[in-house]
Amino acid sequence: MAAEVQPLPLVKLPSGPSPVTPEQRYWRSFKNQKLHTSTATWPISHISFPAQTGAVLSNSMVAATKINDLFAVTSGPRVDIFSIRKRELLKTIGRFDSEAHSGEIRADGRALVAGEDSGKMQVFDVGGGTRAVILKTWHIHKQPVWVTKWSPTELTTLMSCSDDKTVRLWDLPSNNPSHTFTGHSDYVRSGAFIPGGNSNMLVTGSYDETVRVWDARTPGGSVFTFKHKDPIEEVLPLPGGTTLLAASGNAISVLDLVAAKPLRLITNHQKTVTSLSLASNGKRVVSGSLDGHVKVFETSNWNVVFGCKYSSPILSLSVIAAGAAQEDRHLAVGMQSGVLAIRTKLSGAAAEKARERAAIEAAIGTSALDKIDARNAKRKRAVVSNKNMDMLGENVDVVIPTSDTGSRKKKLKPWQRNYKDGFYAACLDEVIDMSGPEYQPLTALTVLIALRHRSALREALEGRDEVSIIPLLKWVSKYIVDPRYLSICVDVSFHLYDLYSEHVAGSSELAVLFHALLGKVSRAASKAQTAMEVAGMLETLTLGNN
């Protein structure tokens, strides 16, 4: 009995080098996304975690891990405390009279400060128990407090920024601010301590379109001011303490604090940039925008090294680090829709498997790795099929396994059916028309190569009228300059010229197409000749240098 004729497999063209860079591979390893929706779908306005810096660093890895196991998410009139290790909600602080802002956990993980629309600031004990206890309340600000941050070096020092246009420094035991900075003429919506300033140096951004640097040791407070074109949504000092980022509109400005001048303006976002975060121990900066895009920048030339898109405008983001080495663990993104998306970097066995796969991909290429994956998947399917057959064949002596058992025949496409039945001209007509809804260049190439292999190419091309010749000439004219299609295009061109050259004089359209093909071949031959001449000159120079 003759074997069944199998469908014609498509030709696989050579693949180019993998476009995936190591940086993209690193950020794509943040997988296993987990989504949390805030109560009443309040927008996620702020995400923060207690970075281990300054005097609070612990030499014990176990202690450092315990300290750094919390991160805070602010949405509506509440602040949620999550576990970094489990990505689960641990407790919720809802003791606010109005919408809360900027919930920040102290570096030792024991206290949290947050502001609210009423102008009140509160400090909570989050170190133990399921219910947060209020440790301190301030009623000094008269308008919404948008920024509250702990000092990175002193556990009892913190700052606040408010819509009352003031910036204040606080000492936790005191009922009044230790310093009040005035100078902004509009809402102050962003601020941070500058690293290396011993809690004396601050930077703030305001809706008056200025970024101001403050020093508590100077009489006036304000050191210098950077003027922008749009309101300042976020400021981020880099770890060195000499460079500052400011998000203004859809741009991010890189500012040199030593020279007091702008270094660069980054305009990769289409809408307002709302959040900035450090990553990779300060070697990368991550930005989020109302356009829904997250972009990662390297800090030497400020080029984009990775980007991804979310389904809703982004209001806040943070690359959450964990452990004594402060390695990137989560990419947490808060959206206008009230969804908190947490992507986790692979670790342990999963990370080892990903590294092995990346090494294999670098060695053999992406296409070869896809083939290996396909073979492995096929092998697994065969194992499952054989197990099923073993169960069905319990009453027989020998079971002959086959991967085709129970498989349904695939319905052949019209061109496959014509090819199988020997109607080669009809088969070629099905695949060669580039205006057809199901046209695929690889399918046309596959059919032409198969016809040449069967010595049926001339049979499929002869006996045609003007209407059926035109699609062939258009296809050849388009692909004859592609090296991957060159061989078959030359063969088809020779057959068409031999069969129909005598009819060109009677058809103006055929004449135009043949002349267009001749012009394309002539130009390609001229370029090839120039390339050969250049290669000869380079070879001569190389030999002369040797």
Side-chain angles (χ1 to χ4, degrees):
M1 181 177 177
E4 183 181 356
V5 177
Q6 298 296 319
L8 188 65
L10 289 179
V11 171
K12 292 186 178 180
L13 297 175
S15 59
S18 173
V20 180
T21 65
E23 196 77 33
Q24 291 172 326
R25 194 175 296 114
Y26 174 81
W27 289 102
R28 287 179 183 177
S29 68
F30 285 77
K31 298 181 179 179
N32 190 22
Q33 179 169 273
K34 191 168 187 177
L35 302 177
H36 295 272
T37 303
S38 64
T39 305
T41 62
W42 288 310
I44 309 295
S45 60
H46 189 71
I47 303 171
S48 69
F49 73 101
Q52 298 176 29
T53 56
V56 298
L57 275 173
S58 171
N59 294 325
S60 167
M61 184 174 294
V62 175
T65 302
K66 288 183 178 179
I67 289 174
N68 200 30
D69 188 41
L70 303 176
F71 69 97
V73 177
T74 307
S75 61
R78 62 195 301 168
V79 178
D80 295 324
I81 309 297
F82 286 83
S83 167
I84 293 178
R85 286 179 294 170
K86 299 179 180 180
R87 301 191 300 175
E88 295 290 345
L89 179 64
L90 298 179
K91 65 181 70 174
T92 296
I93 303 174
R95 305 177 70 175
F96 299 97
D97 299 329
S98 54
E99 185 172 348
H101 298 292
S102 188
E104 289 273 342
I105 300 177
R106 199 167 63 181
D108 63 355
R110 298 181 60 86
L112 178 141
V113 63
E116 57 180 285
D117 276 351
S118 65
K120 183 169 62 175
M121 292 172 56
Q122 297 184 90
V123 178
F124 301 88
D125 180 5
V126 295
T130 58
R131 183 175 175 83
V133 178
I134 298 176
L135 299 178
K136 190 79 174 181
T137 302
W138 289 289
H139 295 275
I140 304 299
H141 286 292
K142 303 305 179 185
Q143 292 192 37
V145 178
W146 282 85
V147 177
T148 54
K149 286 187 183 293
W150 293 99
S151 166
T153 56
E154 299 176 13
L155 294 179
T156 60
T157 303
L158 60 151
M159 67 172 290
S160 64
C161 304
S162 170
D163 280 358
D164 62 12
K165 309 173 189 176
T166 64
V167 180
R168 301 175 190 263
L169 267 179
W170 305 83
D171 188 43
L172 188 57
S174 176
N175 293 325
N176 294 300
S178 57
H179 288 85
T180 300
F181 303 102
T182 58
H184 284 298
S185 58
D186 207 335
Y187 303 149
V188 187
R189 296 287 177 88
S190 58
F193 285 95
I194 296 178
N198 295 323
S199 302
N200 293 311
M201 299 286 291
L202 295 80
V203 59
T204 57
S206 168
Y207 274 28
D208 63 8
E209 302 173 358
T210 64
V211 172
R212 290 180 179 266
V213 177
W214 311 89
D215 190 343
R217 296 165 295 189
T218 62
S222 180
V223 179
F224 43 78
T225 303
F226 295 96
K227 177 67 177 176
H228 292 72
K229 292 184 178 180
D230 294 291
I232 309 300
E233 298 289 345
E234 181 72 299
V235 291
L236 178 68
L238 296 190
T242 61
T243 306
L244 169 70
L245 302 183
S248 173
N250 66 339
I252 303 170
S253 58
V254 184
L255 309 175
D256 187 340
L257 298 182
V258 176
K261 66 177 183 179
L263 297 177
R264 182 153 185 175
L265 188 66
I266 304 170
T267 57
N268 293 87
H269 286 285
Q270 302 302 314
K271 293 184 179 180
T272 301
V273 179
T274 56
S275 187
L276 299 171
S277 175
L278 292 174
S280 303
N281 291 313
K283 298 178 182 177
R284 298 291 181 267
V285 171
V286 184
S287 64
S289 167
L290 294 181
D291 59 15
H293 285 273
V294 170
K295 296 184 184 294
V296 182
F297 301 88
E298 48 87 14
T299 56
S300 56
N301 295 315
W302 299 103
N303 296 315
V304 177
V305 296
F306 179 75
C308 58
K309 178 75 166 65
Y310 284 81
S311 59
S312 178
I314 295 170
L315 300 184
S316 57
L317 64 79
S318 180
V319 178
I320 299 172
Q326 289 290 277
E327 295 180 347
D328 298 339
R329 182 69 181 275
H330 305 302
L331 172 60
V333 176
M335 290 172 266
Q336 175 69 38
S337 60
V339 174
L340 171 67
I342 306 174
R343 295 182 182 181
T344 302
K345 189 177 185 298
L346 296 177
S347 59
E352 183 63 28
K353 186 175 180 180
R355 280 193 293 269
E356 291 177 359
R357 180 179 176 86
I360 296 173
E361 183 178 4
I364 66 177
T366 304
S367 58
L369 186 59
D370 290 341
K371 292 179 182 178
I372 294 175
D373 290 340
R375 284 201 299 268
N376 291 338
K378 185 177 180 180
R379 191 179 298 115
K380 289 180 180 178
R381 290 194 298 270
V383 170
V384 173
S385 177
N386 292 341
K387 286 182 178 179
N388 292 337
M389 286 197 63
D390 288 342
M391 294 176 64
L392 294 173
E394 290 177 349
N395 298 324
V396 299
D397 297 323
V398 179
V399 175
I400 303 174
T402 171
S403 59
D404 295 331
T405 303
S407 61
R408 297 177 59 185
K409 281 188 176 181
K410 292 183 179 180
K411 186 177 179 181
L412 295 178
K413 295 180 179 180
W415 71 266
Q416 292 174 321
R417 190 163 50 250
N418 287 328
Y419 178 81
K420 179 181 177 181
D421 295 339
F423 302 131
Y424 300 132
C427 171
L428 188 56
D429 289 339
E430 290 283 350
V431 301
I432 207 69
D433 186 8
M434 292 186 290
S435 62
E438 297 184 0
Y439 167 74
Q440 294 290 338
L442 277 182
T443 305
L445 179 63
T446 299
V447 170
L448 288 170
I449 292 176
L451 292 175
R452 183 173 64 181
H453 181 72
R454 287 194 172 193
S455 300
L457 183 58
R458 188 178 182 90
E459 177 185 344
L461 295 174
E462 62 186 3
R464 292 175 173 269
D465 57 12
E466 181 181 352
V467 175
S468 59
I469 296 173
I470 290 174
L472 287 165
L473 282 171
K474 289 182 177 179
W475 191 90
V476 172
S477 294
K478 180 176 180 179
Y479 292 103
I480 197 167
V481 294
D482 191 328
R484 301 171 299 178
Y485 292 75
L486 179 60
S487 175
I488 193 65
C489 285
V490 169
D491 288 346
V492 173
S493 300
F494 281 149
H495 284 301
L496 291 175
Y497 180 77
D498 187 36
L499 291 170
Y500 302 107
S501 58
E502 60 185 20
H503 302 289
V504 172
S507 171
S508 60
E509 193 164 2
L510 285 181
V512 169
L513 289 173
F514 270 109
H515 279 92
L517 178 60
L518 175 61
K520 208 161 192 179
V521 171
S522 299
R523 289 191 295 273
S526 177
K527 291 179 181 178
Q529 179 64 30
T530 304
M532 292 294 293
E533 293 174 358
V534 173
M537 289 187 287
L538 292 175
E539 185 178 357
T540 303
L541 290 173
T542 304
L543 292 175
N545 291 333
N546 292 337

